[in-house]
Each structure stands twice: as structure tokens, then as C-alpha cells.
């Protein structure tokens, strides 16, 4: 059954399922404007997800054909997957931050084999065993979802109000989870008159009970050394200063105490960095570090794909430690190992 929640003030949310994923669903928000409804995110490109989205919109009195625009918090397929179908059904525009639009463009233009070869090389350089890398080198006889995302037709400009007649929705650039992740600050009085500064659509940047994945910004054709975790921590502090009355995230449920949640996440990452420094008392590859890090289950019970994600997260933390001068690569090591300074 489609689940629709009315958050007041012309904002509703729909629970759009994510197939075979423990997150369960993406909260897609429907924001009324003077030109028609606008969606914040769209959900995963899957028949059940599409049916749930369209049925939910009908339950809101908003057939999908009447959608005026789509604002995407970030390019991941559980947020951007159905954007193209919404545009086809309605003629709606799609807006995204330029950094994530660049990811979408690269994804559309690159052959899947190019991406898999890049990931195999990255994992080898991180010290992954051959049995983990081998599946990436096998020929594939079918396309995988997520390799043909819709190309947005509008840029979200950080700091600007989006052109939504009758609403004040300001874009806040919050890189970390992706290079172009944005939160959207609804600069209007809270419908329940709660104290604080409006409401914040936080995407995956700020969730009530989950620490968002912070991995590397992957680009096969760009050797720039980025610092996604540093970006995320800076973005967290920026969002904390907004002090919204309520946060409307893309997963789980809305919540109110932004400052407390930001504080918990900042403390979590500082503690994690310190734990990694203790592990790096001896030289370790990123793969060896990931094996020893604390996750929500033992390493031998983490599925294949999640191990790749875990290694990316370990590398993001390593980059932060190196940038802070608290760890360094061991000269001449192959694959490269890192040690605390």
C-alpha cells in the first residue's frame, strides 16, 4: 500500500521502495508551487517503485503528468533513478548540482567495461585479494541498472533560491556523500510554528539514525586527490549553523534536533579516525584496514558489494588522516600501505 504523509505547508512525502536493499525506501517529497507540484528526488528505477510513485502522486491529487519539476539532492540511483520516466510522463525539468551532473554525464558516456576495469585496478591498488577482483574482470552479457541515468536540464546553484513560484527553497551545497550533494532549505515558517529556521530537505547528508556512506569520488579520467570526508565534515557544520526547525531526510523519518544530530556525526567520525590511527600502528593497505575496522557486522559476513564500499570508506578516512598529517604512505610499498605518524 502506498504510504503518503502530509507534513503540512504544501509538503507531502511518499515511501518509494528500493528493491533488495535494507534501507527499504526513499522518501520522495512533493512540494506544491504556484506552477504545479515539484518532486524532491524520485526513487529507484524499478517497476514496483514506479507504480508506488505514480499511485502515491494520484493519492495526493497530483497525477504524474502534472509534475512541474524535479529537484535531485544527488545522483545516486535511489534518488535519481526515476527522474527520466517522470520527465517523459510530464515534461518536467530536472535540476541537479553541476558536480553530480558531471558524474551523470560520465556514466552515460562511459562503457560499463571501462568502469569495471577501473574498479578492478583501484581494488588491486588497495590490496584486495584476487578472488574479490576477479568478478569485475569477467565479460558481462547485460547492462546493469544505473548506467543510463537521465541527464538534468537545469543546474542547482549553491546559495541561490530555486525558481519555484510561491516558495522559498534555497540550495545548500553539502559535498561528501557525493561531490554535488545538495540540501534544500525551505525558508518558510514551520507549519506547526516550531522554533527554528524553516525546514531542511537533507537528502542523504543528514539522517536520523544512519551515518551516510563517505567513500571516494570515483572518476576514471580524473587523478585529482579529493578529500570527501573533509568535505562532509565541513558541510555538516554548515548545515548545523542553519538551525532548521525540522529536517526532512530521504530515508527513515523526519526529526527536529539538528544540532544534536550534527554533533553525534562529528563525534562519530572523530572517534573513527582515532580508531584507525590505532590500527595504523603497523603498516596496512586500505583493504587490510577495512578488514580490521568496526562495521555493523563481522567482515566475513559482509556481502561482496558492501566490501567494495567499505574499502572506499576506509580510503576516504585514510585520505583525511594523510591531509591532517596524522598518517602517511610507506615509501616503496606495493600495494601501498599506510602508517600512523
Amino acid at each position: 500500500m502506498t504510504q503518503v504523509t502530509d507534513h503540512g505547508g504544501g509538503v507531502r512525502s511518499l515511501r518509494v521502495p528500493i528493491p533488495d536493499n535494507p534501507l527499504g525506501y526513499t522518501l520522495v517529497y512533493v512540494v506544491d508551487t504556484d506552477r504545479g507540484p515539484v518532486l524532491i528526488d524520485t526513487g529507484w528505477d524499478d517497476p514496483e517503485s514506479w507504480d508506488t510513485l505514480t499511485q502515491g502522486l494520484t493519492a495526493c491529487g497530483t497525477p504524474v503528468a502534472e509534475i512541474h519539476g524535479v529537484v535531485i539532492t544527488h545522483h545516486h540511483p535511489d534518488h535519481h533513478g526515476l527522474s527520466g520516466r517522470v520527465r517523459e510522463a510530464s515534461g518536467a525539468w530536472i535540476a541537479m548540482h553541476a558536480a553530480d551532473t558531471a558524474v551523470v554525464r560520465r556514466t552515460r558516456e562511459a562503457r560499463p567495461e571501462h568502469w569495471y576495469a577501473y574498479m578492478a585496478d583501484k581494488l588491486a591498488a588497495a590490496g584486495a585479494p584476487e578472488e574479490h577482483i576477479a568478478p569485475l574482470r569477467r565479460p558481462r552479457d547485460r547492462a546493469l541498472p544505473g548506467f543510463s541515468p537521465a541527464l538534468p536540464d537545469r543546474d542547482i546553484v549553491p546559495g541561490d533560491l530555486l525558481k519555484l513560484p510561491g516558495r522559498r527553497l534555497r540550495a545548500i551545497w553539502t559535498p561528501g556523500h557525493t561531490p554535488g550533494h545538495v540540501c534544500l532549505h525551505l525558508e518558510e515558517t514551520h507549519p506547526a510554528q516550531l522554533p527554528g529556521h524553516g525546514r531542511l530537505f537533507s537528502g542523504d547528508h543528514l539522517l536520523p539514525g544512519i551515518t551516510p556512506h563517505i567513500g571516494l569520488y570515483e572518476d576514471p579520467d580524473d587523478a585529482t586527490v579529493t578529500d570527501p570526508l573533509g568535505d562532509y565534515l565541513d558541510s555538516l557544520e554548515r548545515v548545523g549553523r542553519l538551525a532548521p526547525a525540522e529536517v526532512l531526510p530521504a530515508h527513515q523519518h523526519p526529526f527536529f534536533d539538528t544540532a544534536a544530530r550534527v554533533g553525534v556525526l562529528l563525534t562519530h567520525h572523530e572517534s573513527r579516525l582515532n580508531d584507525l590511527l590505532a590500527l595504523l600502528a603497523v603498516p596496512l593497505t586500505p583493504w587490510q584496514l577495512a578488514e580490521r575496522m568496526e562495521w555493523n557486522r563481522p567482515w566475513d559476513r559482509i556481502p561482496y558489494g558492501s566490501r567494495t564500499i567499505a574499502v572506499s570508506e576506509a580510503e576516504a578516512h585514510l585520505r583525511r588522516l594523510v591531509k591532517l598529517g596524522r598518517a602517511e604512505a610507506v615509501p616503496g610499498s606495493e600495494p601501498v600501505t599506510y602508517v600512523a605518524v
Side-chain angles (χ1 to χ4, degrees), residues 6 31 47 57 68 112 132 136 168 170-171 197 205 211 218-219 285 303 307 310 340:
D6 190 341
V31 180
L57 290 172
H68 174 57
H132 186 86
L136 295 170
R168 288 187 58 85
R170 192 176 302 278
H197 303 291
H205 183 68
T211 303
E218 302 289 4
D219 181 356
T285 66
R307 289 190 181 191

Side-chain angles (χ1 to χ4, degrees), residues 15-39:
R15 292 188 175 192
V16 177
I18 310 171
D20 303 317
N21 190 296
L23 278 176
Y25 56 85
T26 301
L27 289 170
V28 172
Y29 292 93
V30 186
V31 180
D32 293 336
T33 80
D34 291 347
R35 289 286 302 278
V38 168
L39 301 184

Side-chain angles (χ1 to χ4, degrees), residues 3-15 27-34 36-41 56-57 59-62 164-169 184-192 198-202 246-250 254:
Q3 297 190 53
V4 179
T5 302
D6 190 341
H7 300 277
V11 176
R12 287 153 291 179
S13 64
L14 315 175
R15 292 188 175 192
L27 289 170
V28 172
Y29 292 93
V30 186
V31 180
D32 293 336
T33 80
D34 291 347
V38 168
L39 301 184
I40 296 178
D41 291 336
L57 290 172
C60 290
T62 302
L164 306 183
R167 309 306 300 244
R168 288 187 58 85
L169 189 66
L184 301 153
H185 190 199
L186 191 58
E187 298 178 340
E188 302 169 9
T189 302
H190 192 282
R199 292 181 280 181
L200 185 75
F201 299 100
S202 65
E246 184 177 17
V247 177
L248 302 173

Side-chain angles (χ1 to χ4, degrees), residues 265-323:
L265 289 168
L266 290 172
T267 299
H268 164 79
H269 282 289
E270 183 59 33
S271 175
R272 199 157 179 77
L273 289 170
N274 287 330
D275 290 345
L276 266 59
L277 281 174
L279 292 173
L280 292 170
V282 297
L284 298 173
T285 66
W287 180 274
Q288 291 169 333
L289 183 62
E291 287 180 312
R292 290 159 174 78
M293 289 170 66
E294 183 177 337
W295 304 104
N296 60 1
R297 68 192 84 176
W299 183 258
D300 60 5
R301 290 174 51 203
I302 295 178
Y304 173 86
S306 297
R307 289 190 181 191
T308 298
I309 293 171
V311 173
S312 180
E313 188 156 324
E315 289 190 284
H317 282 74
L318 277 171
R319 285 196 184 179
R320 186 66 188 151
L321 289 170
V322 170
K323 186 169 182 179

